[in-house]
Amino acid sequence: MTSHSQPRGVGALQRWFFERVTGAADVTDAGEERAVLGGELPAQARVDIYRRAYAARLIECLADDYPAVAHVLGASAFEMTCRAFIASNPPPSASLNFYGAPFAAFCGAPGRLPEGGFVAELARLEWALVEVIHADAEMTLDPTKLAAATEDERPRLRLVPSPALRVLRCDYPVHRYYQQFVEHAAVGVPERVACGVAVCRRGDDVWRFGLEPVWLDLLERIRDGAPLESALGALEGAGDGEALQRTFSEWVSAGFFADVAMD
Amino acid sequence: MTTAPSWSTSAPATRIPALAIGVGLRSNHYEHILRESPDVAWFEVLSDNYMHTRGRPLAFLDRITARYPVALHGVGLSIGSVDPLDRAYLDELCVLRERTGAGWVSDHIAWTGVNGKHGHDLYPVPFTEECLRHIARRVLQAQDILDAPLVLENPSTYLQFAGSTLSEPEFIAALLEETGAGLLLDVNNVYVNAVNHGFDPFAYLRQLPLGRVVQLHLAGHSVVAAPGPDGQSATHLIDTHAGPVAPEVWALFEEAVCLGARAPVLLEWDAEIPSFDRVHAEALRAREHIDRALAAAGRRRGERSPRLAARQPSAGGAP
């Protein structure tokens, strides 16, 4: 940071104004304090333009990041939830790219929303989609590196997950719900069912995969750094080798892995 | 009052010719631009959208900057804030400028937050000597980090602070003079402020150092009616960047060009964004206004040179 001294008059004015814009203070003293020039449009109404814009911009940002949550809550409840979120989470950064990061946890706080557990999981999925869009997806696994590993190397070989991969363990089928939302077919809150979802970007394309528990376990082990052989060794109930081959091929094509590494 | 900049105060070098007409780059036009390669002179890139990301927005931007010249335009520098200047923000801006080969970097004469909190809006500054010194010092600091002149935009505002002792154009002119920064003249903002604060926008233009204009902005605005103090409806304008450019703004644009603003021109369209072709067609309307303004400038020069005019043969050929 650059050293600086605050100009007192400007600083006091900015703090006074910002408290009113962000709702921390009432705007009714705008004209009385003679801080703001009125005229045809009263001083209070002028400050109010900025106050309304502050909330509107942040709600718009959250709506961009969480369209499915907005759908399941309905417009009015979504706006109320956003306003409560904004009040307790003033933007901490000059960038809005990651403003919505704590929204899933906020929605899932006990007693905050009816069906809060489902809403929070849906929000986690939507946030994963935001994160992979902004993540580096430059490197993707060259499958020939896998084939080139020697017998000695194979027990130590592990796959490096792409920075643009997110793996979520869920109590609700949010992947299925989200797909229905995209197809304009989403209905009510689904029943609980343990499952997983993987989200990944490769190039311009963002992929979303629903994962049965067995594949979720495998992918989590690989993501967490287990050598590939031991991760596969722990695999049970995945069916035949053909299913494994097909699943792996899909994961590699979608860019789940950036490279191989040796322990 | 402040130390002189160490580099030239002339307009920054650029591949974008004066009065070339560009369009603000928006994500919903990426695919059209890459597929159709429209004949656009240049794009303005909203720098904040490509900072704090290593992902898809940058990948699209790389492909577009490989084909078109660009300039960077930001909203997050908060040059007017009393918070410390954000060094990390400026460093990232430098990286983005290198990556895009942008002709210049612009932001607004405004502040966006205080006490470490961000409002993500462009808040007005008081036009006082104290504020002028404060912002000038920060502009010089920013320019040292960027190693180039900043280009500063006159923002749209909906209020003015009672303690101001300078007019807006006086404040801007002094700031540019102190710092060597360039001016991004947003003609729509001049008109919006003129209506909202009740001043003559043409007189405002005449008070600005138009030779320092590095870029011109055009945009649409929204007209809003609200209850006034006497219960009557009080109309004000909001700088929404929605819809076509208003006739009053085109007239003001012509006057700015006529008075000597010779810089690349850009249309911003940010709300209810239509197809790329519609946005581009609106931007290209600037061409007829530029031609008219240049013709008017020629006539005015002629009117100001009576001796030269007297030497021209009259229509009847008599000496």
Side-chain angles (χ1 to χ4, degrees), chain A residues 2 7 21 47 98 114-115 145 147 173 178 187 190 192 211 231 257 262:
Chain A
T2 311
V21 166
V47 178
F98 296 98
E115 308 293 352
K145 285 189 177 178
Y178 190 84
V187 281
R192 289 172 76 108
L211 298 171
F257 310 112
M262 295 291 172

Side-chain angles (χ1 to χ4, degrees), chain B residues 44-87:
Chain B
E44 183 190 73
V45 172
L46 294 174
S47 39
D48 302 82
N49 290 353
Y50 304 92
M51 296 160 68
H52 307 282
T53 181
R54 295 173 60 79
R56 195 162 66 178
L58 277 177
F60 277 114
L61 184 61
D62 286 345
R63 279 178 259 168
I64 287 167
T65 55
R67 300 184 195 183
Y68 297 95
V70 300
L72 293 181
H73 183 52
V75 292
L77 181 55
S78 200
I79 200 72
S81 174
V82 296
D83 277 359
L85 201 57
D86 189 340
R87 178 65 196 247

Side-chain angles (χ1 to χ4, degrees), chain A residues 4-5 7-10 14 21 34-35 37 40 46 50 57 91 93-95 97-98 133-136 201 204, chain B residues 51-56 63 80 82 84-85 111 118 120-121 123 130 137 157-162 196 228-229 234:
Chain A
H4 83 302
S5 58
R8 292 176 60 190
V10 179
Q14 289 185 357
V21 166
R34 296 204 55 74
L37 291 174
E40 196 181 344
R46 291 173 185 270
Y50 290 97
R57 184 165 288 106
S93 159
S95 170
N97 281 355
F98 296 98
I133 282 172
H134 289 294
D136 185 353
R201 181 171 71 83
D204 296 342
Chain B
M51 296 160 68
H52 307 282
T53 181
R54 295 173 60 79
R56 195 162 66 178
R63 279 178 259 168
V82 296
L85 201 57
W111 57 286
H118 299 262
H120 295 281
D121 200 350
Y123 300 130
E130 180 198 35
R137 185 168 49 79
T157 58
Y158 311 109
L159 62 81
Q160 290 182 319
F161 290 113
N196 289 344

